[in-house]
Amino acid sequence: METHYLGKDTSDPTTSLVTQDEWRLLTLLNLFRTGVAATFCLLYLFNKLLPPLGSTNPALFFKASLLYLLLSLLLWFFLSRRKLQFSNQVYTSAIVDAVLVTALM
């Protein structure tokens, strides 16, 4: 298996420095992210939130869940087309996760 360097700047996002396994792992992470966001949206819409979820501010919880779902779908687009370099995709995913999971709490 070849290794990659997250800081390496290449013009081709599908460069051989990143293996298919790494792209697949990122795809699985995005699948999980989309599932969690969709579940939170559905729980809110069907008024089935468990006590800690959205107990402080239900409207903010729903808005953050919806934004999380929309951004995860946007990340799917970039991931499927490989529009972003692997490192940029990883960093963007991490920032989205950190900000929106914090907002959901």
Side-chain angles (χ1 to χ4, degrees):
M1 180 192 304
E2 295 177 17
T3 59
H4 66 85
Y5 301 98
L6 293 178
K8 186 166 176 74
D9 185 26
T10 60
S11 59
D12 183 14
T14 60
T15 182
S16 63
L17 292 175
V18 178
T19 66
Q20 290 297 340
D21 287 342
E22 291 162 328
W23 281 106
R24 192 164 38 118
L25 284 173
L26 194 56
T27 302
L28 289 173
L29 174 64
N30 204 42
L31 176 65
F32 176 76
R33 176 186 301 113
T34 304
V36 166
T39 300
F40 284 165
C41 288
L42 291 172
L43 285 173
Y44 178 84
L45 290 174
F46 290 114
N47 203 19
K48 300 287 184 186
L49 288 176
L50 301 174
L53 297 177
S55 59
T56 305
N57 190 344
L60 177 64
F61 179 83
F62 178 64
K63 289 175 186 175
S65 297
L66 192 58
L67 182 61
Y68 200 29
L69 180 61
L70 293 174
L71 288 175
S72 70
L73 294 174
L74 182 64
L75 287 170
W76 269 112
F77 171 76
F78 288 123
L79 189 60
S80 67
R81 304 260 191 254
R82 296 199 181 163
K83 292 283 187 182
L84 297 174
Q85 293 177 15
F86 183 79
S87 60
N88 292 342
Q89 186 83 31
V90 170
Y91 295 142
T92 303
S93 297
I95 289 169
V96 166
D97 288 341
V99 170
L100 288 173
V101 168
T102 301
L104 289 169
M105 291 183 173

